[in-house]
Amino acid sequence: MQKLLHNLNPEQLAAVTLPAQHALILAGAGSGKTRVLTTRIAWLIQTQQVSAAGLLAVTFTNKAAKEMLTRLSAMLPINTRGMWIGTFHGLCNRLLRTHHRDAALPQTFQILDSQDQLSVIKRLLKANNIDDEKFPPKTVMYFINNAKDQGLRADKVDAYDANERKLVELYQMYDEQCQREGVVDFAELLLRTYELLSRNQPLREHYQARFRHILVDEFQDTNNLQYNWLKLLAGHGSRDGGALFAVGDDDQSIYAFRGANVGNMSSFEREFQVKNLIKLEQNYRSHGHILDSANMLIANNSKRLGKNLRTDAGHGEPVRVYEASSDLQEAQWIIEESKSLIAEGASRSEIAVLYRSNAQSRVIEHALFSAGIPYHVYGGQRYFQRAEVKHLIAYLQLMDNPHNDSAFLRVVNFPTRGIGVRSIEQLQAAAEQYGISLYAAVPYVAGKAGSSLAGFVKLVEGVRFETQQLPLPEMVRVVLEASTLLQHYQNEKEGADRIENLEQMVSAATQFISEEGFGQGAPAYLGPQAQAQSGAAVALGDGVEVLDADAPLAAVMSPLSAFLSHASLEAGDNQAQAGQEALQMMTVHSAKGLEFDNVFITGLEEGLFPHESSSKEDGGVEEERRLMYVAITRARQRLYLSFAQTRMLHGQTRYNMKSRFFDELPEESLKWLSPKVQANWFGNKKSAWDMAPMSSAGSDNAIAQKIAHASGPGWRIGESVSHGKFGEGVIVNIEGGGGNARAQINFGQYGMKVLDLSIAKLERLGR
């Protein structure tokens, strides 16, 4: 027993040795919650308070469950194989297999993963002649899963309009089809188990009597149905229920978009009349400045259960903050800092770059690719490998070469346009018969299939004609619209990220033509004659000419061809091989549960982090703050924060204010790597230069010079103006000159606006 408990701190020891009562353990980041859970289980078994078969432990990932079982095997001389330790879905599957008749399921019922579920729904829609454009399969799937997560069958869902009534009807039809086929989806596992235990009193009482101790990990991530499932098993409301031991951190609840309800922790404390609330605040991961930043930030959230992380590791290095003039400069800074870390002996795998939105990764990936630094995109795909981006690339490939059969097959029916497998088979037969490409074979296909295929060809030809004189970024924008990819993803629950990634291709194209020396207005197409005229061809004798391998891309390839080649190379090269050390890239959501010696948190700007959508949602900003808290607490030794004054997103240059989160961090823990300007145009502590591009010189003299030289047609930085729609504002930056001059203006309640000075009707104030 002494050996089992000797490595625990006082709070951990108190949690492990609690009596058999309900308990809530607030486990801060890096506080050893897995150790507490596994040691609690071992202690209960060792002290003979429960047998290995008499307790239930619930985790959120199979990885966590396996880690607990491995640790238990090392702690106790027992066979852990039969223990009820697993995920919600895994435990429900086990229970339903045991009681399949009572659950009205065949013993051999099959479990549908997300792709399988989507296929079932597509078959359902097709079999019932339901328009899948009006009711996209993914929309139907999200509706069904959301209802199940709330514990609602179709007859219990309130429908407020005709569209929702149809979705409810489809839910009912889907349930009936799954029952006929003997299959269940993930959400069904939990709902079916809950319904079984709710209506079958003898079975419920059997499991309540068996599991006298129920332990739950990551309690803050439970949804309503999971919490009700736990209440049922713990015998809530009965005099002889089991002890529920819940471990979680309300400050790390970041999955509201998946249905997680952080309020379950407070509800548990209230409904179970929890007398044992223990806070694990000793952090074994991070240095003091990092923890001080996390503590001060999260203190701004309301309705917290409350805790304060501490460490014995000392203050460590300050949190480094970098203010970049652009997202490109931010990416380059990350490269230089990473190189310095590696030169100091840091492992590449201990360097993590975190971002709020997947769309941010493109610029950083490009910089890493150019610098030859191997990297790995954790929990996701690299930018040019993402499905939606590959769809857009396929359309662009058809603009460059309509006879590319792979590109043709990828998008001929995506988004769906009524071209099925049979139509493709007819087309492939015609192409093989005449020895031509699929595109060229379309006229040889008759009937309805031929008409549908001809419609696709007409779309491609129309866009090719429309874009032949356009520069590459504009061409990408036109293809995005004409392909209807944007409209398609608008119908998906998680479509916003995909749309961001698609629109980011305009930015990628803009950056590419700039870096490779193509003229900003150069047409996307460049034919062979133009190539020869450019001087890129060299003579080999006998009248034979070839392109010069040493000539720049702008001389030998059209902007479109060069860009497509670049995308293919960047998608395939520099990806870390198995076992190879690589810099880690990931969204903040993906980073939860991980830790690294060195962490970069990028894009800390208003509208990006916190995300602009958060201001429209109840509790949205607090969820974003919890997300920032999670990001900060991933770092062990060094933490870097960065933001850019300008960022190109969706093909547009955005002028940014730094994130409000900077105002919530302790100044004494921060080390600013770029000068902070103290000029105060707006009557508050944020200066105009927090929002406008500026030189690295931050002295008062540099500010004065910038104001003196930056002027449009009679306008000056720092000048107060009035606009008919936006009211009073202050000019914070001016770019361009003459008829092309634009001003960035802070209009207070309307925020930052960029106006064309030749068009905007501005009035001066104070003259």
Side-chain angles (χ1 to χ4, degrees):
M1 186 63 64
Q2 189 67 27
K3 183 179 179 181
L4 192 67
L5 305 177
H6 81 284
N7 279 330
L8 302 178
N9 66 34
E11 293 84 6
Q12 291 173 333
L13 180 63
V16 166
T17 57
L18 280 171
Q21 298 172 342
H22 303 310
L24 179 58
I25 312 301
L26 288 182
S31 63
K33 69 178 178 62
T34 304
R35 172 186 289 182
V36 167
L37 273 167
T38 51
T39 309
R40 168 75 173 172
I41 293 171
W43 182 77
L44 288 170
I45 295 172
Q46 186 105 336
T47 55
Q48 299 182 352
Q49 296 184 57
V50 68
S51 69
L55 58 80
L56 179 82
V58 190
T59 69
F60 267 81
T61 65
N62 287 312
K63 178 183 175 183
K66 288 177 182 177
E67 184 180 351
M68 287 177 66
L69 288 168
T70 300
R71 291 196 187 190
L72 279 170
S73 296
M75 288 179 174
L76 297 174
I78 61 171
N79 183 356
T80 60
R81 186 180 297 273
M83 295 184 70
W84 284 64
I85 297 177
T87 64
F88 278 102
H89 294 125
L91 294 171
C92 287
N93 175 52
R94 186 171 176 177
L95 199 146
L96 289 175
R97 297 286 178 190
T98 307
H99 306 285
H100 63 93
R101 290 192 183 88
D102 292 316
L105 287 171
Q107 187 173 12
T108 57
F109 69 83
Q110 299 293 307
I111 300 173
L112 303 172
D113 64 19
S114 297
Q115 288 302 316
D116 294 333
Q117 184 184 14
L118 194 61
S119 296
V120 170
I121 291 171
K122 287 178 179 177
R123 284 195 288 114
L124 175 71
L125 296 177
K126 185 175 182 180
N128 290 277
N129 297 315
I130 294 169
D131 185 355
D132 61 3
E133 291 189 0
K134 187 174 181 181
F135 295 96
K138 284 195 175 181
T139 300
V140 177
M141 183 172 77
Y142 291 134
F143 178 85
I144 292 170
N145 290 344
N146 183 62
K148 289 186 178 184
D149 285 344
Q150 297 300 317
L152 302 174
R153 289 293 179 193
D155 59 347
K156 301 298 183 184
V157 177
D158 292 326
Y160 298 100
D161 55 37
N163 187 70
E164 283 200 356
R165 284 193 291 274
K166 188 62 179 178
L167 287 170
V168 169
E169 181 184 339
L170 290 172
Y171 178 10
Q172 182 65 45
M173 294 164 64
Y174 167 80
D175 259 2
E176 293 168 357
Q177 179 171 320
C178 288
Q179 188 65 31
R180 285 195 305 271
E181 297 179 7
V183 296
V184 297
D185 54 53
F186 283 121
E188 182 70 20
L189 285 171
L190 195 66
L191 180 55
R192 185 74 65 112
T193 304
Y194 176 76
E195 291 172 338
L196 171 64
L197 294 175
S198 295
R199 69 171 182 267
N200 192 320
Q201 183 178 347
L203 196 63
R204 180 175 69 251
E205 290 177 348
H206 164 76
Y207 281 105
Q208 287 173 345
R210 174 175 178 174
F211 297 131
R212 304 306 301 161
H213 290 270
I214 300 174
L215 302 94
V216 189
D217 191 13
E218 304 286 8
F219 194 77
Q220 77 280 353
D221 292 334
T222 55
N223 62 30
N224 292 340
L225 180 58
Q226 289 163 340
Y227 178 50
N228 289 331
W229 185 87
L230 290 167
K231 286 169 66 175
L232 202 60
L233 274 179
H236 176 246
S238 68
R239 297 175 59 184
D240 194 32
L244 185 53
F245 185 91
V247 180
D249 183 1
D250 55 332
D251 291 333
Q252 294 190 74
S253 179
I254 59 173
Y255 295 121
F257 67 96
R258 293 183 188 170
N261 182 4
V262 66
N264 285 345
M265 296 188 76
S266 297
S267 297
F268 169 58
E269 185 181 13
R270 182 182 67 256
E271 294 174 0
F272 281 77
Q273 299 178 5
V274 174
K275 298 176 182 176
N276 302 302
L277 191 152
I278 295 176
K279 300 178 181 181
L280 304 182
E281 299 174 302
Q282 178 74 35
N283 179 280
Y284 295 96
R285 176 188 302 161
S286 308
H287 286 146
H289 282 310
I290 295 170
L291 296 182
D292 290 345
S293 298
N295 288 330
M296 189 166 176
L297 173 89
I298 203 64
N300 289 276
N301 271 6
S302 60
K303 300 179 181 177
R304 294 175 61 228
L305 294 173
K307 65 184 180 313
N308 216 45
L309 297 176
R310 65 180 189 275
T311 182
D312 294 333
H315 287 298
E317 300 185 33
V319 176
R320 293 164 169 83
V321 183
Y322 183 72
E323 177 182 7
S325 62
S326 69
D327 51 347
L328 299 178
Q329 188 186 72
E330 178 188 49
Q332 195 55 46
W333 168 74
I334 292 170
I335 299 302
E336 296 306 319
E337 288 292 331
S338 297
K339 285 181 177 179
S340 296
L341 289 169
I342 294 167
E344 292 172 13
S347 163
R348 281 194 293 262
S349 59
E350 285 298 337
I351 302 173
V353 179
L354 312 185
Y355 36 84
R356 175 63 181 85
S357 166
N358 268 313
Q360 291 171 252
S361 78
R362 184 198 61 79
V363 172
I364 304 170
E365 283 190 59
H366 178 67
L368 289 165
F369 170 79
S370 301
I373 298 177
Y375 66 94
H376 172 69
V377 179
Y378 182 91
Q381 292 176 306
R382 300 167 69 151
Y383 178 76
F384 285 114
Q385 291 177 327
R386 292 166 189 159
E388 62 275 15
V389 175
K390 292 182 79 171
H391 288 318
L392 177 54
I393 286 174
Y395 276 104
L396 293 172
Q397 287 171 329
L398 291 177
M399 299 298 106
D400 192 46
N401 173 20
H403 303 292
N404 181 330
D405 283 356
S406 295
F408 184 94
L409 286 171
R410 186 177 187 93
V411 294
V412 65
N413 195 42
F414 192 92
T416 55
R417 48 179 62 90
I419 300 173
V421 175
R422 180 61 186 146
S423 299
I424 297 299
E425 289 174 351
Q426 290 178 253
L427 179 63
Q428 289 172 325
E432 186 175 348
Q433 180 182 351
Y434 294 103
I436 54 180
S437 69
L438 296 175
Y439 192 87
V442 168
Y444 297 96
V445 180
K448 183 180 178 183
S451 298
S452 299
L453 288 164
F456 177 66
V457 168
K458 184 179 179 181
L459 166 68
V460 173
E461 289 297 332
V463 178
R464 291 187 83 214
F465 177 79
E466 183 181 350
T467 60
Q468 61 184 340
Q469 295 300 320
L470 293 179
L472 182 61
E474 289 305 310
M475 178 192 183
V476 174
R477 197 186 300 278
V478 170
V479 172
L480 256 180
E481 291 294 335
S483 66
T484 69
L485 286 170
L486 293 176
Q487 296 93 309
H488 170 78
Y489 288 117
Q490 283 173 351
N491 295 320
E492 288 193 7
K493 182 180 179 182
E494 298 177 0
D497 281 347
R498 293 186 184 273
I499 289 172
E500 275 195 1
N501 288 332
L502 286 171
E503 291 178 331
Q504 190 65 6
M505 278 285 278
V506 182
S507 304
T510 303
Q511 180 184 349
F512 176 78
I513 61 173
S514 173
E515 290 183 349
E516 296 299 336
F518 291 99
Q520 291 291 330
Y525 299 114
L526 186 64
Q529 288 184 345
Q531 291 173 349
Q533 291 168 2
S534 72
V538 294
L540 293 182
D542 297 326
V544 177
E545 287 189 340
V546 297
L547 294 179
D548 182 1
D550 295 323
L553 282 179
V556 298
M557 299 178 77
S558 72
L560 176 58
S561 295
F563 179 62
L564 291 172
S565 297
H566 158 76
S568 298
L569 289 171
E570 194 162 312
D573 279 1
N574 228 41
Q575 176 73 20
Q577 303 300 312
Q580 181 185 12
E581 270 202 357
L583 183 145
Q584 304 294 306
M585 292 183 60
M586 65 198 73
T587 63
V588 181
H589 280 102
S590 297
K592 185 166 185 296
L594 303 177
E595 55 187 74
F596 305 91
D597 287 344
N598 312 286
V599 172
F600 293 84
I601 307 175
T602 64
L604 283 165
E605 299 135 25
E606 284 295 306
L608 192 54
F609 200 180
H611 197 275
E612 57 191 353
S613 63
S614 64
S615 61
K616 305 170 187 174
E617 302 167 358
D618 185 31
V621 173
E622 295 211 347
E623 175 109 348
E624 291 288 301
R625 190 174 286 112
R626 291 194 293 270
L627 196 56
M628 180 64 176
Y629 176 83
V630 166
I632 290 173
T633 53
R634 298 311 93 197
R636 296 192 192 104
Q637 298 170 11
R638 286 192 186 180
L639 176 63
Y640 298 83
L641 311 178
S642 64
F643 65 101
Q645 296 162 350
T646 64
R647 184 176 299 276
M648 183 173 281
L649 286 174
H650 322 318
Q652 300 291 325
T653 298
R654 292 176 25 159
Y655 297 85
N656 306 309
M657 294 175 63
K658 66 183 180 183
S659 171
R660 71 189 69 185
F661 295 150
F662 282 110
D663 295 330
E664 300 172 358
L665 300 177
E667 193 66 36
E668 59 274 14
S669 292
L670 305 182
K671 178 181 180 181
W672 291 79
L673 302 183
S674 48
K676 290 179 64 181
V677 179
Q678 303 300 324
N680 191 343
W681 301 115
F682 308 124
N684 60 33
K685 62 182 175 181
K686 289 186 176 66
S687 77
W689 310 108
D690 288 335
M691 291 160 268
M694 60 170 289
S695 67
S696 58
S699 65
D700 292 340
N701 184 49
I703 301 169
Q705 289 179 1
K706 186 173 179 76
I707 295 173
H709 289 96
S711 63
W715 302 100
R716 302 178 70 82
I717 291 177
E719 192 168 16
S720 297
V721 297
S722 177
H723 185 270
K725 179 178 179 180
F726 303 123
E728 296 183 4
V730 175
I731 297 176
V732 299
N733 193 42
I734 296 174
E735 60 179 25
N740 295 320
R742 299 193 309 166
Q744 181 187 1
I745 306 173
N746 182 8
F747 283 107
Q749 70 178 98
Y750 288 98
M752 302 296 296
K753 304 292 179 184
V754 178
L755 302 180
D756 188 326
L757 290 173
S758 65
I759 299 173
K761 297 179 179 179
L762 296 176
E763 294 182 11
R764 287 187 171 86
L765 297 177
R767 278 196 179 183

